[in-house]
Amino acid sequence: MPTATDFKDYYAILGVSKTATPEEIKRAYRKLARKYHPDLNPGDQDAEAKFKDLNEANEVLFDPEKRQKYDRFGQHWNSYAEAPTPSETNAATDNFDQYSDFDAFVNDLLGRSRRRTHTNSGFDGNGFRSQAPAPDTEAAIALTFAEAFHGVQKRLQLDDETINVRVPAGAKPGSRIRIKGKGRPNPFSQQRGDLYLTIEVLPHSFWRFEGDDLVCDVPIRPDEAVLGAQIKVPTPDGSVTMKVPKGARSGQSLRLRGKGWALPKGGRGDLFAKLQMVTPQDLSAIEQECYENIQANTSFNPRAQLEEITL
């Protein structure tokens, strides 16, 4: 049974309050996971230990049921999670006042459950299901964009066991990998459940996911938007030339077919380049004159429709 010295404050590890929402927990985990990821801190044992604690904290606090037990029972939450629910024990165990501390309650709870004999089919003489399913284990694994795109072999340290994991190319945020027989053992049958790894993809400075699409922002000049242009755009496997049509708008998305994320079954998805018009700040004399000539001679009024707007 855990002691006070074994207790880990998962809220402090993630740097969030006890009232943090799941989204706030997720954001805090992603930020810190990127900072302490072993691949970004090679040879740094402190960073590796912090990364392990972050995964452990995220696994508990992002799961509503585990978080509720953690908030209620503190350092004993995991022991309580393995015990039968109050409805499966004598009603007297619900009265905490008869115990000197929570350790005594847990010990008595486990003792009572072992002493009870169930006549229901499927229970043995000790009061537990003879064919009880082995518990599955869930954990998070953080990958860089390159690792998720190309696929990677990872060595994970879970408790005292080292597990080799092959992440296939094209892993996306939120996708899960099942590893058979690597979950927690059933405390009575010793049969092991499965390990489920949830993929976290660390943020990239240029590309991002919007749903299933890979998206990037591409800056263009006003003259390129007006006249059209051929420009270079980075993709995950190198730059390509993209045609900007005449009269392109800022915020317009252009599709680059087959240049997006790697698909698990082979092939590539699409990349969407969102055009962002950027105006020059330091104009040469010639540029200044050209823009002044355009301003003086243009008949285009992008705000014409605004003149008809009233309450």
Side-chain angles (χ1 to χ4, degrees):
M1 178 173 294
T3 65
T5 56
D6 298 323
F7 179 66
K8 293 180 180 179
D9 187 338
Y10 292 147
Y11 291 102
I13 289 172
L14 290 176
V16 298
S17 69
K18 291 188 177 181
T19 58
T21 64
E23 186 61 32
E24 289 172 335
I25 291 171
K26 184 177 182 179
R27 285 200 302 268
Y29 168 74
R30 286 184 172 179
K31 179 180 178 180
L32 292 172
R34 178 175 178 81
K35 180 178 179 181
Y36 293 111
H37 194 283
D39 290 349
L40 302 179
N41 300 273
D44 189 336
Q45 294 184 351
D46 289 340
E48 185 175 348
K50 289 180 180 178
F51 185 74
K52 182 179 178 181
D53 286 345
L54 287 170
N55 281 334
E56 184 178 326
N58 182 64
E59 178 189 354
V60 173
L61 297 186
F62 201 69
D63 184 310
E65 183 177 351
K66 291 179 181 178
R67 182 179 180 181
Q68 183 180 27
K69 291 177 179 178
Y70 176 80
D71 289 342
R72 184 177 181 186
F73 300 106
Q75 70 192 65
H76 302 284
W77 79 273
N78 207 23
S79 298
Y80 182 80
E82 294 177 357
T85 62
S87 62
E88 295 174 325
T89 63
N90 292 334
T93 60
D94 289 338
N95 182 8
F96 294 162
D97 295 338
Q98 63 183 300
Y99 303 103
S100 58
D101 55 31
F102 189 76
D103 286 350
F105 163 70
V106 173
N107 288 332
D108 188 42
L109 177 62
L110 293 175
R112 286 176 186 271
S113 64
R114 290 192 178 96
R115 288 194 299 271
R116 295 185 66 202
T117 299
H118 295 263
T119 58
N120 296 22
S121 175
F123 285 87
D124 61 19
N126 291 321
F128 295 102
R129 290 188 183 273
S130 56
Q131 300 297 325
D136 293 329
T137 303
E138 295 195 15
I141 178 172
L143 306 176
T144 64
F145 247 67
E147 289 173 337
F149 180 81
H150 294 293
V152 67
Q153 292 276 356
K154 284 284 190 180
R155 292 171 62 89
L156 301 181
Q157 190 71 32
L158 293 179
D159 298 327
D160 296 327
E161 182 178 12
T162 300
I163 299 175
N164 293 314
V165 179
R166 186 184 72 83
V167 181
K172 289 183 177 180
S175 58
R176 300 210 307 171
I177 299 174
R178 179 189 181 190
I179 306 174
K180 293 184 178 180
K182 293 299 182 180
R184 294 189 179 95
N186 183 293
F188 310 107
S189 68
Q190 296 305 309
Q191 178 185 358
R192 296 188 66 173
D194 298 333
L195 171 63
Y196 289 88
L197 295 176
T198 300
I199 300 297
E200 296 278 358
V201 180
L202 301 176
H204 193 274
S205 60
F206 183 67
W207 299 293
R208 66 184 182 275
F209 286 103
E210 289 187 3
D212 292 331
D213 298 326
L214 190 62
V215 179
C216 62
D217 294 327
V218 179
I220 59 173
R221 300 191 310 259
D223 61 286
E224 292 173 329
V226 173
L227 302 176
Q230 299 280 342
I231 64 175
K232 292 285 188 181
V233 176
T235 75
D237 53 0
S239 294
V240 298
T241 299
M242 181 182 75
K243 179 180 179 181
V244 177
K246 292 182 178 180
R249 305 180 310 277
S250 185
Q252 180 178 350
S253 291
L254 301 179
R255 183 198 301 263
L256 293 171
R257 296 186 181 277
K259 296 300 180 180
W261 200 245
L263 302 177
K265 295 183 179 180
R268 295 278 295 280
D270 300 333
L271 172 64
F272 288 86
K274 286 190 174 182
L275 303 179
Q276 303 293 332
M277 190 182 304
V278 179
T279 58
Q281 300 300 309
D282 298 317
L283 297 176
S284 67
I286 294 178
E287 290 172 327
Q288 181 74 27
E289 182 180 356
C290 289
Y291 277 110
E292 288 175 353
N293 285 335
I294 292 174
Q295 188 177 62
N297 292 283
T298 186
S299 60
F300 175 62
N301 181 7
R303 295 170 299 281
Q305 294 180 344
L306 300 184
E307 296 175 359
E308 300 177 2
I309 295 179
T310 61
L311 286 177

